[in-house]
C-alpha cells in the first residue's frame, strides 16, 4: 500500500497495556518502550515531514494517571515545536480524550489530561481513542482551547450502557473505523473511513481545519448545537407503531424511522400506565440507540427495539410517547399509541 517508503510508526500505551496481572506499572511501561523502541517513559516527540508529533502514555490502567512527568514533557515539547516551526499545527496523541470534550468523554475522558494540556494551544490538534465512538457523530470533533478529534476504533464500536437496547447492539465489532489526515499549506482535511466497506463516511462533510489555526476560525465548537434541527417523524407515523412480543417474552416496539438532515441518533420513549380507574400511573422513560454506526445509508427504515420486560406489568394498558433524538440532544415532536402487553 505504501510502497518502499513506509510511514513512521508512533505507538503509545492505552489502558489495556496495564491489564491484569496488576504488577508494577513501571515494569509494563519499560516493557512497552523496549518493544517499540520508545524512550523509557513511552512518551514521544518526533518531527515528521516538517511537523511536530507529541504522543504521551498514561502511567497506569486508570484514565487519570497522566502525572507530572507527562505535564513536564508536554510543555517542553510544545515549546520546542513552536520555536522550531512557529505557526505550524502541532499534532498530539493520547489514548484517552480530555474529559467533557469529544463524544462520550464525560464518562471515558481523563480529568488529569486537562492539567497536562493546561495552557492556551489553538495550534494543537489532539487525537484520542478509548471511547470507541462512531465517527458518523459530529461530536467526534470538538474545538475549545484547541482541536480534539476522536479516532474511533479498529475493533468494536461503543455500546453505551444507558440505552435500553444495549444488548441488541451486538454487531458493533463488524464496523471498524479509522481516520486519514491530509495536511496542506492552508488547511487540514480529516477523512473518516468505514473499513467494513472501504468507504468514506460523509464524503461531503469532511472535517476541515483552516490554517493557521486560531480560535477565530474554530467551527466545531459547542455552539454547533444551536444551529441544528430536531429530527421529525413523517406524517402518519403513529399508525405504524406496533408493540409485540418475542419468544423470550420481551416486548418489542417498532415504528417508521424519523428523518433528520444528519441522522437520528436514538429515540426517547415515555411509557405511561393507564390504570383501571382511568388515571395515569407513574411513567418511566427508556432510550434506545439507532444502528447509525453501520452507515447512515444502511439504517433500518422501520427500527425495532427489544425492551426490558421487567418494566411492564402483564395485563396493564400503556400509552407510549416516542420522540426522535439527534446526536447533540435535540428532540423532535412525539408520536404516540396505546398497547397492552
Amino acid at each position: 500500500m505504501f510502497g518502499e517508503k513506509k510511514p513512521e510508526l508512533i505507538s503509545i500505551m492505552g489502558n489495556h497495556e496495564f491489564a491484569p496481572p496488576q504488577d508494577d506499572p513501571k515494569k509494563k511501561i519499560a516493557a512497552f518502550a523496549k518493544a517499540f523502541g520508545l524512550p523509557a517513559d513511552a512518551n514521544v516527540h518526533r518531527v515528521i515531514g516538517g511537523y511536530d508529533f507529541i504522543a504521551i502514555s498514561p502511567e497506569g490502567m486508570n484514565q487519570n494517571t497522566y502525572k507530572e512527568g507527562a505535564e513536564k514533557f508536554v510543555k517542553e515539547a510544545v515549546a520546542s515545536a513552536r520555536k522550531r516551526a512557529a505557526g505550524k499545527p502541532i499534532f498530539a496523541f493520547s489514548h484517552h480524550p480530555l474529559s467533557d470534550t469529544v463524544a462520550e468523554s464525560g464518562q471515558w475522558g481523563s480529568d488529569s489530561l486537562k492539567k497536562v494540556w493546561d495552557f492556551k494551544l489553538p495550534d494543537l490538534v489532539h487525537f484520542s481513542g478509548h471511547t470507541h465512538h462512531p465517527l458518523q457523530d459530529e461530536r467526534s470533533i470538538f474545538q475549545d482551547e484547541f482541536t480534539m478529534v476522536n479516532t474511533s476504533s479498529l475493533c468494536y464500536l461503543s455500546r453505551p450502557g444507558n440505552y435500553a437496547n444495549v444488548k441488541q447492539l451486538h454487531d458493533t465489532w463488524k464496523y471498524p473505523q479509522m481516520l486519514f489526515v491530509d495536511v496542506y499549506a492552508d488547511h487540514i482535511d480529516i477523512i473518516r473511513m468505514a473499513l467494513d466497506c472501504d468507504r468514506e463516511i460523509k464524503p461531503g462533510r469532511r472535517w476541515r481545519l483552516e490554517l493557521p489555526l486560531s480560535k477565530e476560525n474554530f467551527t466545531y465548537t459547542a455552539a454547533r448545537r444551536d444551529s441544528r434541527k430536531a429530527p421529525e417523524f413523517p406524517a402518519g407515523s403513529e399508525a405504524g407503531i406496533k408493540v409485540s412480543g418475542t419468544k423470550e417474552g420481551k416486548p418489542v416496539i417498532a415504528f417508521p424511522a424519523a428523518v433528520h438532515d444528519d441522522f437520528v441518533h436514538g429515540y426517547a420513549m415515555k411509557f405511561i400506565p393507564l390504570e383501571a380507574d382511568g388515571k395515569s400511573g407513574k411513567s418511566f422513560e427508556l432510550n434506545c440507540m439507532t444502528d447509525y454506526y453501520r452507515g447512515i445509508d444502511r439504517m433500518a427504515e422501520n427500527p425495532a427495539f427489544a425492551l426490558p420486560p421487567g418494566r411492564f406489568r402483564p395485563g396493564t394498558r400503556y400509552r407510549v410517547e416516542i420522540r426522535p433524538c439527534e446526536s447533540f440532544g435535540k428532540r423532535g415532536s412525539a408520536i404516540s399509541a396505546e398497547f397492552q402487553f
Side-chain angles (χ1 to χ4, degrees):
M1 179 179 179
F2 295 103
E4 294 183 2
K5 189 176 181 180
K6 295 182 180 180
E8 293 192 41
L9 176 67
I10 298 177
S11 300
I12 55 171
M13 301 182 75
N15 54 308
H16 286 281
E17 272 66 63
F18 296 93
Q22 295 289 352
D23 54 10
D24 184 357
K26 292 182 179 179
K27 292 182 179 179
K28 295 195 172 183
I29 294 172
F32 187 91
K34 182 179 180 181
F36 288 93
L38 303 177
D41 57 5
N43 294 328
V44 181
H45 178 200
R46 195 175 299 172
V47 178
I48 303 174
Y51 293 90
D52 288 79
F53 292 77
I54 302 170
I56 59 173
S57 293
E59 297 177 42
M61 191 166 186
N62 185 284
Q63 58 208 49
N64 284 313
T65 56
Y66 296 87
K67 300 178 182 177
E68 290 182 5
E71 184 180 354
K72 182 175 183 293
F73 175 84
V74 163
K75 289 187 176 181
E76 291 177 353
V78 168
S80 173
R82 283 178 163 169
K83 182 178 179 180
R84 191 197 65 79
K88 278 192 171 183
I90 300 169
F91 298 102
F93 302 84
S94 65
H95 179 72
H96 302 90
L98 282 73
S99 297
D100 303 314
T101 56
V102 293
E104 291 189 49
S105 60
Q107 178 180 4
W108 299 110
S110 168
D111 288 330
S112 65
L113 273 176
K114 288 189 171 183
K115 188 174 182 181
V116 171
W117 303 103
D118 187 22
F119 50 110
K120 309 302 182 184
L121 291 170
D123 47 352
L124 191 81
V125 183
H126 180 276
F127 296 90
S128 61
H130 193 58
T131 65
H132 292 237
H133 196 77
L135 292 172
Q136 286 88 349
D137 192 335
E138 296 302 316
R139 296 176 300 151
S140 290
I141 185 171
F142 177 72
Q143 292 178 307
D144 186 3
E145 295 300 331
F146 51 90
T147 303
M148 286 151 277
V149 185
N150 161 45
T151 62
S152 192
S153 174
L154 292 172
C155 190
Y156 62 90
L157 300 181
S158 65
R159 297 188 298 165
N162 57 329
Y163 289 101
N165 64 324
V166 62
K167 292 183 178 180
Q168 201 175 340
L169 308 174
H170 53 73
D171 63 343
T172 58
W173 62 271
K174 295 180 179 179
Y175 302 96
Q177 299 178 345
M178 64 169 287
L179 300 174
F180 281 112
V181 181
D182 288 339
V183 183
Y184 301 92
D186 61 349
H187 71 276
I188 297 170
D189 277 342
I190 302 176
I191 302 163
R192 298 169 273 180
M193 293 296 299
L195 299 183
D196 67 293
C197 56
D198 292 324
R199 290 194 304 176
E200 183 176 351
I201 297 169
K202 297 184 178 178
R205 297 182 66 175
R206 289 183 179 180
W207 294 333
R208 173 161 292 192
L209 310 178
E210 301 296 336
L211 298 178
L213 287 165
S214 70
K215 292 190 71 172
E216 286 67 34
N217 62 21
F218 282 1
T219 57
Y220 302 103
T221 65
R224 288 176 292 169
R225 185 185 187 279
D226 298 337
S227 61
R228 289 176 68 90
K229 298 177 181 178
E232 297 292 350
F233 284 105
S237 294
E238 289 196 8
I241 299 176
K242 307 294 181 186
V243 180
S244 58
T246 66
K247 293 180 180 179
E248 294 80 19
K250 294 180 180 179
V252 173
I253 188 167
F255 44 84
V259 295
H260 189 249
D261 55 6
D262 188 4
F263 67 92
V264 178
H265 184 273
Y267 296 91
M269 291 177 271
K270 183 178 182 180
F271 295 90
I272 307 166
L274 303 177
E275 307 296 357
D277 59 6
K279 295 182 180 179
S280 297
K282 185 177 180 180
S283 66
F284 61 92
E285 188 170 287
L286 297 174
N287 295 301
C288 289
M289 192 178 94
T290 66
D291 55 354
Y292 75 93
Y293 57 86
R294 297 172 180 167
I296 294 173
D297 61 339
R298 294 185 280 183
M299 294 174 66
E301 294 182 2
N302 292 280
F305 301 106
L307 303 173
R311 301 300 301 270
F312 299 91
R313 303 196 306 265
T316 300
R317 192 160 187 82
Y318 289 87
R319 175 180 175 83
V320 59
E321 298 174 355
I322 307 168
R323 294 181 183 273
C325 310
E326 54 90 46
S327 60
F328 283 73
K330 287 192 173 180
R331 295 184 175 188
S333 304
I335 57 173
S336 62
E338 293 184 9
F339 67 94
Q340 184 171 318
F341 178 77

